[in-house]
Amino acid sequence: MRIAVTGSTGLIGSALVRSLLADGHQVVRLVRRRSRTGPQADGTVGVGWNPHLLRVDTAGLEGVDAVVHLAGAGVGDRRWTDSYKREIRDSRVLGTEAIAGALAGLKRPPQVLVSGSAVGYYGQTGDRVIDERDGAGDDFLASVCVEWEAAARPAAEAGIRVVHPRTGLVLAAGGGAGARLFPLFKLGLGGRLGSGEQYWSVISLADEVAALRFLLDTPEVSGPVNLVGPDPVTNRRLTEVLGRVLGRPTVFTVPHLALQAALGEMAVEVSGSHRVVPRALLDAGFVFRHPDAESVVRAAL
């Protein structure tokens, strides 16, 4: 297959590209810098786009069989100032509008668009078990996810199968939350955050990539699909698992007030609770390589 990928240099995107290339697929990377367009040394092809200006080199997308759209500003990269919240929203909504509009206008549209989303769609849900049948929350990230998914509508109206992978917390040593957590725990400085009773819906990077590929290859699946492991865990339990696997103490606790002082509004996400399960994936027959918290942590390390 010839598959286009946005966000191809991020934690998930780079792992997905490696997986696709290893299996002989052709990969088209959507890139912003003109110097990175055309054939690349790794065997991929760069195609230009500017999501904020809604510009896409549609000629470079003609003939692609599928598109995986993962681009977006990192939610945890910076403190949530008003300007950065706009960047979080615009990078997702405008980028998706650009991709969906470009694909809808192609002479031969792709069969499928896997257009990213997140479990933040559901808002803060406490200890209630959530699956794809549940509605949207009412906080900032929930509103972003609602707009983000809606922006892909032109592709669906053009007859393209659209899937929204609502990704949870991807644990990997090379980036994301894992890159921040693991060094602290290795030094014996790890501990629970806030009460520790908040649920985190975790997934290994290997399962995240395998699930994205499963969505590409499974034509009967469309709409929202939770990309989380089948074993959502509390922060307290994940802390215990990290300490046991690494052989380090986990005696420290970061109080909620300290999280608020350090992170501002984003502290709500860190200390908030998402007990999300992958009903649609399991119903479609997907099999997790790392189905529990300990196997996820061991895979990441």
Side-chain angles (χ1 to χ4, degrees):
M1 296 176 68
R2 188 164 183 253
I3 302 169
V5 181
T6 77
S8 64
T9 60
L11 173 68
I12 299 169
S14 58
L16 175 64
V17 168
R18 289 194 300 270
S19 174
L20 292 170
L21 291 175
D23 284 344
H25 297 290
Q26 296 179 315
V27 175
V28 175
R29 297 179 186 263
L30 276 84
V31 296
R32 299 190 192 190
R33 294 204 299 269
R34 184 173 297 178
S35 61
R36 296 178 61 194
T37 59
Q40 303 296 302
D42 62 358
T44 63
V45 175
V47 169
W49 80 316
N50 187 323
H52 284 83
L53 296 179
L54 303 181
R55 292 178 182 169
V56 181
D57 177 8
T58 53
L61 292 180
E62 286 287 357
V64 299
D65 300 296
V67 178
V68 183
H69 173 45
L70 301 173
V75 171
D77 288 357
R78 288 166 49 190
R79 193 180 180 92
W80 286 3
T81 61
D82 287 344
S83 62
Y84 195 61
K85 286 170 71 175
R86 282 194 299 272
E87 174 65 17
I88 289 171
R89 183 263 179 200
D90 289 351
S91 65
R92 286 161 173 75
V93 177
L94 297 181
T96 304
E97 287 179 358
I99 289 294
L103 298 182
L106 294 178
K107 295 177 182 177
R108 181 188 151 219
Q111 300 166 18
V112 57
L113 166 62
V114 177
S115 185
S117 187
V119 296
Y121 176 93
Y122 303 107
Q124 302 304 320
T125 59
D127 62 359
R128 183 164 57 96
V129 177
I130 299 296
D131 65 28
E132 293 87 352
R133 295 168 294 190
D134 287 277
D138 58 4
D139 58 15
F140 166 67
L141 284 185
S143 68
V144 170
C145 289
V146 169
E147 288 190 78
W148 191 5
E149 294 183 12
R153 193 171 295 131
E157 292 171 348
I160 301 169
R161 177 170 64 94
V162 176
V163 188
H164 296 292
R166 292 175 179 166
T167 295
L169 180 63
V170 180
L171 278 186
R180 295 177 174 86
L181 287 175
F182 295 150
L184 291 174
F185 277 83
K186 287 178 180 179
L187 292 171
L189 300 176
R192 61 181 173 86
L193 303 178
S195 71
E197 300 306 315
Q198 67 272 33
Y199 276 88
W200 286 6
S201 295
V202 299
I203 186 171
S204 71
L205 181 58
D207 278 336
E208 173 78 9
V209 170
L212 289 171
R213 294 194 55 177
F214 180 83
L215 297 178
L216 289 175
D217 297 336
T218 310
E220 60 269 24
V221 177
S222 63
V225 179
N226 295 333
L227 264 60
V228 295
D231 181 34
V233 295
T234 63
N235 172 258
R236 182 189 298 275
R237 182 178 158 205
L238 184 61
T239 297
E240 293 169 354
V241 169
L242 282 164
R244 182 170 66 254
V245 171
L246 290 168
R248 295 290 188 272
T250 56
V251 297
F252 294 96
T253 299
V254 182
H256 180 69
L257 288 176
L259 288 173
Q260 281 188 314
L263 303 177
E265 187 179 349
M266 193 173 66
V268 175
E269 287 301 309
V270 174
S271 60
S273 187
H274 301 94
R275 193 178 185 180
V276 181
V277 295
R279 180 187 63 85
L281 270 182
L282 294 174
D283 287 351
F286 181 78
V287 178
F288 286 87
R289 291 175 58 189
H290 308 116
D292 58 81
E294 182 156 339
S295 63
V296 169
V297 169
R298 290 189 182 278
L301 294 169

